[in-house]
């Protein structure tokens, strides 16, 4: 997702991030970090990791026991995709942080294999309500790319109705984003990540309800202690305007069913902290 891209160095956010990374490097080399013979935990942020205005990525990056690689970081990504495994292992091996975090929303379809290839690895899978995704997707995603990907996305027999709708040339934008939300998060269920102790499904609603406790719980899950900033963060989300988006009946039913399934299996990180 675009919200997780790197801020450019000539902006205020970019300069602030550069200063933060410099302080982290000094801390890891002089006072903290991991020993050379210790294996770092690799954490993949999947689904839609830029939920809650990117607060999760910001909180993890501000922790001095992590190295966070966002979408667009040339050390880890090339043309929007993760680099080869040997390149990633080289980056991970050079890190002095106990936890190496990779914002890999674009790799959600292959997260199950990433867990195996980079063991010990963990996955934090984030999702928000479909209505919120539909509202914000036009600001952070490319619709032409989404249409192209969706045309090839649905290959199961039970998804025939969705495949037929996705292949419609005159498909409206609202339906495109609803199908995109479904395709992204159904990958969690299809890969049976619920059965893996290394995978954690987290809803944006838990962040909004208890942001400080939820962020502390996420830090606990990946083993990096508490957040540096102890102030309770404010997470303000734009309210959806107007009526509920009108969707074709098969798409509406599929999204509602998946939303119910995700809500039933999501964990509350605030219970961990």
């Amino acid at each position: 997702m675009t919200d997780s891209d790197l801020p450019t160095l000539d902006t205020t956010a970019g300069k602030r991030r550069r200063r933060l990374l410099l302080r982290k490097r000094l801390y890891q080399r002089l006072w903290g970090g991991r020993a050379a013979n210790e294996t770092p935990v690799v954490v993949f942020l999947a689904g839609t990791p830029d939920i809650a205005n990117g607060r999760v990525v910001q909180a993890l990056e501000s922790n001095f026991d992590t190295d966070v690689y966002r979408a667009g970081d040339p050390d880890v990504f090339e043309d929007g995709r993760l680099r080869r495994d040997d390149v990633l292992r080289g980056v991970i091996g050079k890190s002095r942080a106990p936890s190496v975090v990779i914002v890999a929303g674009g790799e959600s379809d292959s997260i199950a294999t990433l867990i195996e290839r980079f063991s010990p690895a963990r996955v934090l899978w984030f999702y928000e309500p479909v209505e919120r995704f539909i509202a914000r997707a036009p600001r952070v995603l490319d619709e032409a790319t989404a249409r192209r990907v969706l045309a090839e996305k649905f290959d199961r027999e039970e998804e025939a109705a969705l495949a037929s709708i996705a292949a419609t040339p005159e498909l409206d934008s609202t339906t495109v984003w609803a199908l995109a939300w479904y395709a992204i998060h159904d990958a969690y269920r299809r890969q049976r990540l619920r059965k893996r102790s290394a995978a954690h499904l987290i809803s944006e609603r838990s962040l909004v309800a208890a942001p400080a406790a939820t962020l502390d719980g996420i830090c606990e899950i990946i083993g990096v202690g508490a957040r540096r900033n102890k102030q309770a963060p404010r997470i303000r989300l734009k309210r959806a305007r107007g009526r509920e988006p009108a969707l074709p009946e098969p798409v509406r039913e599929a999204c509602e069913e998946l939303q119910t399934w995700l809500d039933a299996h999501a964990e509350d990180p605030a219970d961990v902290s």
Side-chain angles (χ1 to χ4, degrees):
M1 302 289 286
T2 305
D3 281 0
S4 297
D5 286 351
L6 294 171
T8 58
L9 295 178
D10 58 345
T11 64
T12 301
K15 293 175 182 177
R16 187 165 55 244
R17 181 175 186 267
R18 184 169 54 183
R19 290 194 296 269
L20 168 67
L21 295 182
L22 177 59
R23 292 197 300 272
K24 286 178 66 170
R25 295 291 181 271
L26 290 173
Y27 168 80
Q28 290 171 6
R29 292 187 179 279
L30 300 178
W31 297 287
R34 65 180 177 86
N37 60 347
E38 291 179 332
T39 302
V41 175
V42 183
V43 181
F44 295 100
L45 307 188
T48 49
D50 58 343
I51 61 170
N53 302 327
R55 277 306 175 94
V56 174
V57 177
Q58 294 170 15
L60 293 179
E61 190 164 56
S62 66
N63 190 297
F64 276 29
D65 285 328
T66 69
D67 275 340
V68 177
Y69 296 93
R70 302 193 190 191
D73 193 312
D75 290 336
V76 170
F77 292 90
E78 183 176 16
D79 296 329
R81 307 297 298 182
L82 284 176
R83 289 181 174 272
R84 301 189 318 271
D85 285 6
D86 60 326
V87 175
L88 297 182
R89 289 194 179 93
V91 172
I92 293 166
K94 291 178 182 177
S95 171
R96 294 292 301 273
S99 180
V100 177
V101 180
I102 299 176
V103 183
E107 306 289 333
S108 296
D109 281 345
S110 58
I111 283 294
T113 65
L114 285 171
I115 296 175
E116 302 294 340
R117 283 151 42 198
F118 290 91
S119 181
R122 297 175 189 172
V123 170
L124 302 182
W125 190 293
F126 300 95
Y127 75 99
E128 74 271 68
V130 61
E131 295 84 1
R132 170 156 161 76
F133 181 87
I134 291 173
R136 75 184 184 90
R139 302 193 305 271
V140 298
L141 291 175
D142 178 67
E143 184 174 333
T145 301
R147 288 177 181 271
R148 185 172 63 252
V149 172
L150 285 174
E152 307 168 355
K153 203 70 175 175
F154 303 102
D155 54 6
R156 294 187 298 175
E157 184 176 342
E158 58 267 35
E159 295 173 339
L162 299 183
S164 176
I165 293 171
T168 305
E170 61 273 15
L171 195 63
D172 65 280
S173 296
T174 299
T175 305
V176 167
W177 299 127
L179 287 170
W181 178 90
Y182 181 91
I184 290 170
H185 297 300
D186 190 50
Y188 181 92
R189 181 168 56 179
R190 294 181 67 176
Q191 295 174 88
R192 299 183 178 181
L193 293 174
R194 183 175 68 88
K195 298 181 180 295
R196 295 180 180 241
S197 60
H200 303 268
L201 179 64
I202 301 170
S203 170
E204 184 180 63
R205 287 172 177 158
S206 64
L207 277 162
V208 175
T214 300
L215 290 172
D216 285 342
I218 288 171
C219 289
E220 185 88 11
I221 287 172
I222 67 174
V224 295
R227 294 172 299 118
R228 291 177 63 235
N229 185 355
K230 282 306 179 181
Q231 285 187 326
R234 293 182 179 180
I235 299 178
R236 296 178 178 177
L237 305 181
K238 291 184 178 180
R239 294 184 179 181
R241 297 179 179 179
R243 294 178 299 177
E244 185 176 318
L247 299 170
E249 193 63 17
V251 177
R252 185 188 63 78
E253 290 180 354
C255 288
E256 287 181 353
E257 184 273 333
L258 179 57
Q259 180 81 64
T260 300
W261 189 93
L262 292 170
D263 291 341
H265 294 99
E267 50 186 282
D268 187 355
D271 293 337
V272 177
S273 60

